[in-house]
Amino acid sequence: MATLATPVRKRGHEDRPAKGQAPAVRAFRATPFTYGTLLIVAAILTTPLVFVGSIALSSDATVNNGAFTVIPREFHWDNFSRVFGTELPVGTFLLNSVLISLFSVVGQVLSSGLVGYAFARLRAPGKNTMFLIVIATMMIPTQITMIPQFILFRDLGWVNTFLPLIVPNFFSNAFNVFLVRQFVSRLPSELDEAAMMDGLGFFGIYRRIMFPMLRPVLIAIGIFTLTHTWGDFMGPLIYLNDESKMPLALGVQYITATSQAGQAPPWNLVMVGSILLALPMILVYYIGQKYLYEMDISGGSAGVK
């Protein structure tokens, strides 16, 4: 009686993927050396932040003597309330930063989504050439357009107002348009065709179908815009003159000028202002980091999960 022979598998040889099949992805296994390296790098990167917190909790005597330490030895939590009692309107600075940042985020999200969707889906002669011109603007340094922009906004009467800091965000920028365009171009076009058969136009398709699917990339754009505008120093320095209109990023610099001649600036209050600048960005990134990870512009898979 014939028996079926089982092929002998040679030891040391791994299974190879079939022809045309992608190789299997192996999981990375961390070792104690990996964790040790990450801890060292994390300690190096967080040392400046710890030093900022140590200075912010220092007393005025420590500031005058310059006896700062990386590890906090004093805990004067009242510095966080004292900063709002200085001669400068720190509370107004904070409110101005919130207003400028929120309106800028709204403008970038609305304009970037519409323009990126138009470049990805609409058909028009010269569309690709126009898109290349938009992308080419990313290579123009900001310093080149700074003076022409100031002259333009001055002639419009927008100097010493929030308009030069907010209105340009309602016209998007090349990087955000590129993100949305790449994301939309990877989404199946059958969605648009089915919506057109139901009688929707391009704006209706964007509002009802594309906008919800673009949530990860639009939230990422909002985080990028918020990070830029919240810590922007150059823009307010050029266009704003009144103290009552300055954001926190510019107002913190003014805290160093409140001391008398020959006296050390109140570095503990300056560092409190720096913490007020950094803490909201840390919280925003912590809350929105999952959307940053979902923003896969190479495959557009985040929109169809």
Side-chain angles (χ1 to χ4, degrees), residues 93-106:
F93 294 161
L94 187 60
L95 179 61
N96 293 338
S97 294
V98 172
L99 292 176
I100 295 173
S101 300
L102 288 182
F103 281 109
S104 299
V105 168
V106 172

Side-chain angles (χ1 to χ4, degrees), residues 71-87:
I71 305 300
R73 293 184 301 182
E74 301 174 314
F75 298 91
H76 293 271
W77 298 101
D78 59 315
N79 290 340
F80 287 86
S81 59
R82 285 179 54 203
V83 71
F84 292 97
T86 60
E87 298 177 356

